[in-house]
Amino acid sequence: MKKSVIIIGSGIGGLSTAVRLLSKGYDVKVYEKETTIGGKTNQLFQHPFTFDLTASILMNRKTYEEVFDDAGLDYNDYIDFILIDPIYRSFYPDGTVYDFSRDLVSLIQTLESISIEDSIGYMKFLAEVYERYIITNNHFLQQSFESPLDFLQLSSVISALKTKAFSTSHQLISKYIKNDKLQKFLSYQSLYVGISPYDGPSIYTLVPVISQLYGLWHLKGGMYSYVKALEKAIYQLGGTIETNYTVDEIIISDNKAIGIKSKEKEAVFADKIISNADFPYTMDTLLKNDSHKGKYTTSKLENLNYTCSTFIIYLGLKKKYPLLSVHNLYLNSNFKENIDAAFTGQLPTNPSFYVYCPTRVDDSMIANDGDCISIVVRVPNLFFKNITWNKDTVQFMRNITLSALKSIPGLSDIEENISYENYLTPEDLKNRFNSYGGTAFGLSPNLTQTNYLRPHLKSDNVKNLYFVGSSVHPGPGVSLVLLSSKLVVKEIVKDDSMNTPST
Ligand SMILES: Cc1cc2nc3c(=O)[nH]c(=O)nc-3n(C[C@H](O)[C@H](O)[C@H](O)COP(=O)(O)OP(=O)(O)OC[C@H]3O[C@@H](n4cnc5c(N)ncnc54)[C@H](O)[C@@H]3O)c2cc1C
């Protein structure tokens, strides 16, 4: 008989795990509290504009394809990749604009226009981080780390030392790059995992390096088309998804997870339970007994480190702004001070930000002659109690961000051409998706919370209970969450093969 699996949450982690398990013969049901699936990778639609709610930068394309490959499906039947070039356009307050092309010849032109020294430094930086990435990918990202022995074996220790993770991202960048604008361009991208480039381990310089070496892609229809693709595969493989089902408790009997309970709906039972809801939220709210939480009791969760959050402005524009590429960065003056603000409980006064304009390459996201843009600013998470996300805070953030955007020559009339405007705050991340503390990326992937030291994919205390998503190993961002789904499925299959009596 097929083994049954309940997945709590339909984020990228939950949906991709469902596809993989269904293809291996499991009977899978996904339960989602919201009316729409996708979790944080969601969509905001307001005719004629379509916005990706959060994730927009598609790195490491292979991890997206692999879910379909693993399930014996052809990804070409589900998703349509559009190549992006330049991968980034960066803007500065003095009017400087740089394009970072995926093409080496064009890239060198940009770099040499900065300086020969920085151009050489950039190439050396790419080479060093590329080598570290290969080690990290082989030895850490593709391993489960369920037991301390996995981490403490000699090859892992030697590999960890080779990644030289102990310096910060900014220290490593400034070793090779002297130009302040180029330093900011690289440092800003290492913020994508939600930790500061001035504080977080230098391994996260792999974010700009992977983008440069493997390229960035856009999915036709936006990142949400990946969610729709996973949904289609789940139904084809015989799985089910129930929305508007808020799980209130994971039912545990004799130290085994056996089902889920909801205040409004009937309890459901299965052989295995996987929580895709944010790990600290799962520990805090869905497990009721401290003995099941191990080292993640509510009081201990408060002492862990968490990533920052984000404030997003969505603008539907009446006209096109070809000056904007798909991925744009505005790197403001007082850069460090304003980046630090997101980690010290302050709102930035001169924000640096990312601007996403998918309609530059994708007409399917707009039904008029305008553009859809999202402006993303790093802000403190809700553990900092001094900021209240009321109308005044939103208005303050909106005004300082738009005034910086309008200072870019060519964008000065952007405010007059807004026909739709909306926002996302840390409170939305908490209230809609149960992101613990309203963080954007979950538990911080700093040195004390990575690999074996990050929450495991399998409960240490409760049998048949597993986890997938941003706050567990290997870490945040869609491509790492897709890896966590690959690893959790491997663990489940391994556990079942060990428990199957031989004939
Ligand atoms: C602003 C922002 C920008 C980002 N940009 C990028 C980017 O450009 N590129 C990139 O790769 N990544 C990006 N990310 C990260 C990426 O969005 C996340 O890592 C990824 O979407 C997380 O997926 P997940 O499956 O871990 O969790 P989630 O998306 O949080 O899914 C968890 C699901 O569980 C559901 N749930 C929670 N509690 C319950 C309950 N009690 N009962 C039932 N269901 C429940 C939630 O509603 C949700 O659907 C960004 C994130 C943010 C916030």
Side-chain angles (χ1 to χ4, degrees):
M1 209 173 95
K2 282 185 171 187
K3 291 233 167 171
S4 57
V5 179
I6 285 172
I7 299 181
I8 305 167
S10 69
I12 289 284
L15 296 176
S16 55
T17 303
V19 171
R20 286 183 153 119
L21 284 174
L22 284 161
S23 73
K24 297 199 180 309
Y26 288 82
D27 175 14
V28 183
K29 293 188 168 64
V30 179
Y31 293 88
E32 167 58 51
K33 70 183 268 293
E34 288 288 291
T35 46
T36 58
I37 60 165
K40 293 194 272 287
T41 302
N42 225 294
Q43 194 174 64
L44 174 63
F45 176 73
Q46 180 68 44
H47 183 78
F49 306 108
T50 304
F51 301 91
D52 277 315
L53 191 73
T54 67
S56 56
I57 302 167
L58 193 160
M59 284 185 291
N60 212 343
R61 164 180 168 161
K62 197 163 165 278
T63 55
Y64 289 69
E65 296 171 6
E66 217 172 29
V67 178
F68 294 93
D69 297 346
D70 287 355
L73 302 170
D74 181 353
Y75 69 84
N76 290 301
D77 295 337
Y78 296 83
I79 39 178
D80 207 350
F81 287 100
I82 300 172
L83 187 143
I84 293 178
D85 196 19
I87 54 169
Y88 279 101
R89 181 163 290 162
S90 65
F91 296 89
Y92 301 86
D94 66 0
T96 305
V97 182
Y98 293 132
D99 271 0
F100 292 86
S101 174
R102 69 198 307 281
D103 166 56
L104 195 53
V105 176
S106 310
L107 175 69
I108 286 290
Q109 273 172 13
T110 297
L111 294 172
E112 289 186 352
S113 76
I114 298 172
S115 81
I116 295 292
E117 187 192 8
D118 286 303
S119 184
I120 294 169
Y122 194 88
M123 293 300 143
K124 287 185 178 165
F125 169 74
L126 289 183
E128 168 156 356
V129 181
Y130 174 59
E131 196 178 344
R132 290 190 198 191
Y133 167 65
I134 297 294
I135 297 168
T136 305
N137 192 39
N138 291 343
H139 292 272
F140 301 105
L141 300 181
Q142 307 276 350
Q143 308 288 337
S144 298
F145 294 115
E146 290 305 308
S147 124
L149 293 176
D150 293 340
F151 190 56
L152 291 175
Q153 56 181 307
L154 192 60
S155 63
S156 289
V157 175
I158 292 171
S159 303
L161 291 174
K162 279 192 193 153
T163 64
K164 296 183 226 157
F166 297 103
S167 56
T168 66
S169 292
H170 186 261
Q171 281 165 345
L172 180 71
I173 290 164
S174 45
K175 178 177 157 196
Y176 291 106
I177 310 290
K178 303 300 164 215
N179 179 275
D180 180 56
K181 291 181 175 129
L182 197 49
Q183 281 185 4
K184 287 177 180 165
F185 168 71
L186 295 168
S187 296
Y188 192 87
Q189 291 174 72
S190 25
L191 262 178
Y192 289 177
V193 289
I195 51 182
S196 167
Y198 298 101
D199 199 26
S202 63
I203 195 61
Y204 295 111
T205 50
L206 63 80
V207 175
V209 171
I210 291 176
S211 308
Q212 185 68 67
L213 297 181
Y214 293 88
L216 295 181
W217 304 81
H218 173 81
L219 286 179
K220 189 158 196 265
M223 197 63 111
Y224 198 64
S225 59
Y226 195 65
V227 168
K228 300 302 285 177
L230 294 173
E231 179 188 38
K232 180 175 155 189
I234 288 171
Y235 287 136
Q236 281 173 341
L237 294 166
T240 62
I241 304 174
E242 183 169 340
T243 52
N244 299 312
Y245 188 114
T246 300
V247 177
D248 291 303
E249 182 176 348
I250 296 172
I251 308 170
I252 295 168
S253 168
D254 280 344
N255 251 18
K256 275 189 199 150
I258 57 164
I260 52 172
K261 235 190 231 175
S262 165
K263 283 185 194 125
E264 283 126 27
K265 308 251 174 130
E266 266 186 41
V268 199
F269 296 87
D271 296 318
K272 290 180 189 296
I273 313 295
I274 306 175
S275 181
N276 171 226
D278 199 16
F279 178 85
Y281 159 84
T282 301
M283 287 292 140
D284 187 37
T285 309
L286 302 186
L287 292 183
K288 304 297 181 194
N289 185 330
D290 270 359
S291 71
H292 298 142
K293 304 183 190 200
K295 60 180 178 179
Y296 297 109
T297 56
T298 301
S299 59
K300 288 188 184 146
L301 287 173
E302 283 164 17
N303 298 327
L304 298 178
N305 288 304
Y306 293 87
T307 56
C308 64
S309 192
T310 51
F311 171 70
I312 305 182
I313 308 174
Y314 308 93
L315 298 181
L317 300 171
K318 290 179 204 153
K319 67 172 211 182
K320 291 208 180 293
Y321 286 87
L323 178 65
L324 291 173
S325 186
V326 178
H327 301 306
N328 310 273
L329 297 178
Y330 181 76
L331 300 163
N332 213 334
S333 43
N334 299 329
F335 181 78
K336 179 175 184 310
E337 190 182 317
N338 282 275
I339 294 299
D340 282 347
F343 301 92
T344 53
Q346 293 152 61
L347 293 175
T349 44
N350 286 346
S352 291
F353 45 83
Y354 159 69
V355 182
Y356 173 49
C357 179
T359 41
R360 186 75 327 100
V361 289
D362 188 351
D363 286 345
S364 73
M365 295 180 76
I366 184 104
N368 71 1
D369 294 332
D371 265 337
C372 298
I373 68 170
S374 313
I375 311 161
V376 185
V377 191
R378 269 26 182 185
V379 293
N381 61 39
L382 300 175
F383 291 111
F384 293 98
K385 305 282 182 219
N386 50 321
I387 300 169
T388 312
W389 285 93
N390 54 23
K391 270 191 182 155
D392 291 344
T393 311
V394 168
Q395 203 56 30
F396 168 77
M397 284 304 298
R398 182 237 185 238
N399 290 345
I400 55 163
T401 307
L402 282 194
S403 97
L405 186 69
K406 285 190 304 182
S407 74
I408 296 175
L411 299 184
S412 58
D413 66 347
I414 210 159
E415 202 168 358
E416 296 145 37
N417 284 297
I418 298 173
S419 72
Y420 171 76
E421 183 166 345
N422 208 337
Y423 316 98
L424 181 117
T425 72
E427 290 285 358
D428 297 319
L429 291 172
K430 179 172 177 229
N431 298 335
R432 277 192 67 183
F433 307 116
N434 285 334
S435 261
Y436 196 67
T439 71
F441 306 95
L443 269 181
S444 176
N446 62 16
L447 280 186
T448 57
Q449 296 182 168
T450 48
N451 300 324
Y452 179 70
L453 302 175
R454 200 165 180 77
H456 300 170
L457 300 158
K458 188 162 91 171
S459 168
D460 295 332
N461 308 288
V462 178
K463 221 173 159 240
N464 297 337
L465 177 61
Y466 301 81
F467 310 99
V468 66
S470 304
S471 288
V472 297
H473 177 69
V478 174
S479 66
L480 288 190
V481 170
L482 291 173
L483 281 179
S484 93
S485 119
K486 180 175 163 180
L487 295 172
V488 80
V489 170
K490 223 164 143 184
E491 284 302 314
I492 290 172
V493 171
K494 191 169 86 188
D495 288 351
D496 280 344
S497 67
M498 290 196 305
N499 292 336
T500 308
S502 51
T503 47

